[in-house]
Amino acid sequence: MTLLSTGRNRSRFRFRRTVAGLGAGALAASLAALTLAPGVSTASSHREAPLIAGDPRADNTDVYAFTSPDNPDTVTLVASWIPFEEPNGGPNFYAFADDARYNIKIDNDGDGRPDVTYTWKFTNHVRDAANQFLYNTGVVTTLTDPDLNFSQTYDLTVTDSHKNVQTLLHNAPAAPSRVGPASMPNYASLFSQAIRPLPGGGQTFAGQSDDPFFADLRVFDLLYGGDLSERGLDTLGGYNVNTLAIQVPKQVLALKGNASRNPVVGIWSTTDRRGADVTRDGRPGKDSWRQVSRLGNPLVNEVVVPLRYKDAFNTLSPDQDRTVQPVVDKVLDPILPKLIQQIYGIPAPATPRNDLFEIYLTGICAACGPIVADLNAQRLNADAPVNRIVPAEELRLNMSIPPTAVPNRLGVLAGDLAGFPNGRRLADDVIDISLQAMEGAAQTGVLVPELADGDKVDTNDHGFGASFPYVPLPNTNP
C-alpha cells in the first residue's frame, strides 16, 4: 500500500519525510456505546475478529475493485464470504444466508456514506425436504435441473444516496456449491449460467468460487516464529468461498454520473442481519437490519485494529471512523512494525504514521498527506464537496487509470498504478505490499530488503479468468 519511486515513475512522484499533524479531524468517542451484546456476530475477513468466527455466512473475507481489463469502460467489484470452505463439504454444502443482506457500497463524494449500494438477498428452494437428504439426486446440468434438490435465487437491488431503491434482478439463480465430478461433471457450464446481464448494462454473478486470496497465514504464528525461512505455503490454497461480483459502467458509480470529471470512488462491503430494537422503556421494538460485517482495505481489522475494538469497528459506517480515537491512534502508531522490530530487529518507522493515515483513511493525493502524489483520493474529483470530505476507511479506486497490459503483483509499489492500493485486483499481492507499507516504503521510496520476499506466496493456486467474473472455479476433490 505504498508509492515507491522506481524506474519510469521516479520523476512523476516525489516523497518527503516530513509529516503533518492530524489537527482536530478525529473526534474522541466512547466505544462502550458501540460494543454489541454477546451472541451478535460482527467483523470481517478470514475469522479475524472474535465474534464473526461463529457466523461464517456473514463473514466477508475480501473485497476487490478494478477497471475491467477486457471491458475498460466498466468497473468490476468482487466480494466473498464464508472462509475456509472445504471442497466436497456435504451433505449441506455452503449456501448464502437467507436471513441476511449482502452489500457492496460505493462512496463517490468522500463523506464516508454510501451513494450507491448493491444488495443481494437470497431465498432457499428445496424440491423434496421430506424424503431426501441429498443436495442433488442425480447429475446436474443446468441451474433449473430437477435433480438439483437444493438451490438458491436472489433479488439484486441498487439504492442511491436518497434511499431510492431499484430492483435490478428478481429470482436470479445462484451457482450451486460444487458437489463433485459425479454430480456436476461440467461445473464450468453451471458457473457460466449464473452470470446474469443487468438492465442498463453490466452483469453480475453469485455462487461458489476458489478463494482468490493467497497468503501464508502462519505470519500470525509470531511472524513465522522469528525464522523467515519458514514461509511460502498458501494457507488458503484448495479452499473455496461464496462470491458476489458485479460489473457496471463507470458512470453508474461516479459522482454526478461523470467518470471523467469525478473518477475516484471508495468501496466497501457489509453484511446485515436483523436485530430487535429496544424502546426507551425497555420494551421490544420493531426488527431492523444491523450491520454485522464490514470490509474495505484488506488486513485493516486483522493487523491495525486492536483486539478490543475489532467487533465494534465493524458495526460502523466509514463516516464514523474518525470518531473512534483508539482506532485512529493505531493507524498513526501501528502495532505491526513494533512486532517486526522486536522479533527481527528491523527498526520501526517513526510515528505519527501520517502516510498510513493517508493510505487507509483519505486516499492518496498531494494535498492529503506526506505522500506527494495524486492517485485515489475523492478530493481529486472535480465536483467533490471538499468541506464534507472526512477520513474514512475505504478501498479507493481511480477509474481513470487504465488496466495494465502486464500487471505487477506489487501494484503501485512497483509503479503499476492500476493495482493496490488503487483499488485491488485479484492478483495483487496485498500481504507483501502491506508489509512494505507498514515498514514505511511510501516515506523512504525504497523496499525494506529483509522483507523483500514477503510471505513468498506470490500467486494464487489457480489462475484467474480473462473475463467476468474473473474468479476461478471452486475446488473439488475427485
Side-chain angles (χ1 to χ4, degrees), residues 12 171 182 188 265 302 333 347 398 404 427 466:
R12 182 173 180 179
N171 282 337
V265 292
E302 286 176 322
D333 187 8
N398 187 330
T404 307

Side-chain angles (χ1 to χ4, degrees), residues 455-467:
D455 65 351
K456 289 190 175 180
V457 179
D458 297 341
T459 60
N460 191 46
D461 56 331
H462 297 289
F464 298 115
S467 60

Side-chain angles (χ1 to χ4, degrees), residues 343-368:
I343 295 173
Y344 293 108
I346 301 172
T351 60
R353 296 297 303 279
N354 284 21
D355 56 329
L356 298 181
F357 189 90
E358 183 175 0
I359 291 165
Y360 286 129
L361 298 177
T362 66
I364 296 170
C365 73
C368 297

Side-chain angles (χ1 to χ4, degrees), residues 147-159:
D147 286 322
L148 187 58
N149 196 39
F150 177 87
S151 62
Q152 287 192 304
T153 59
Y154 62 90
D155 289 351
L156 172 60
T157 60
V158 60
T159 305

Side-chain angles (χ1 to χ4, degrees), residues 26-81:
L27 305 177
S30 170
L31 261 287
L34 302 173
T35 303
L36 298 183
V40 180
S41 298
T42 61
S44 59
S45 196
H46 292 72
R47 296 170 52 87
E48 111 293 353
L51 293 177
I52 200 63
D55 192 8
R57 292 197 296 173
D59 186 358
N60 189 182
T61 65
D62 285 285
V63 177
Y64 307 85
F66 50 91
T67 296
S68 309
D70 57 331
N71 191 359
D73 292 331
T74 68
V75 164
T76 296
L77 310 174
V78 179
S80 299
W81 281 261

Side-chain angles (χ1 to χ4, degrees), residues 221-231 338-347 450-451:
D221 183 14
L222 296 179
L223 301 180
Y224 309 109
D227 183 356
L228 286 178
S229 67
E230 297 293 327
R231 296 171 290 170
K338 297 176 183 178
L339 291 176
I340 293 174
Q341 178 173 312
Q342 177 184 348
I343 295 173
Y344 293 108
I346 301 172
E450 297 91 338
L451 299 176

Side-chain angles (χ1 to χ4, degrees), residues 232-257:
L233 176 66
D234 184 1
T235 311
L236 289 309
Y239 287 104
N240 300 323
V241 287
N242 278 19
T243 292
L244 300 175
I246 188 166
Q247 186 178 81
V248 293
K250 292 178 178 178
Q251 65 265 23
V252 173
L253 306 181
L255 178 63
K256 295 187 176 182

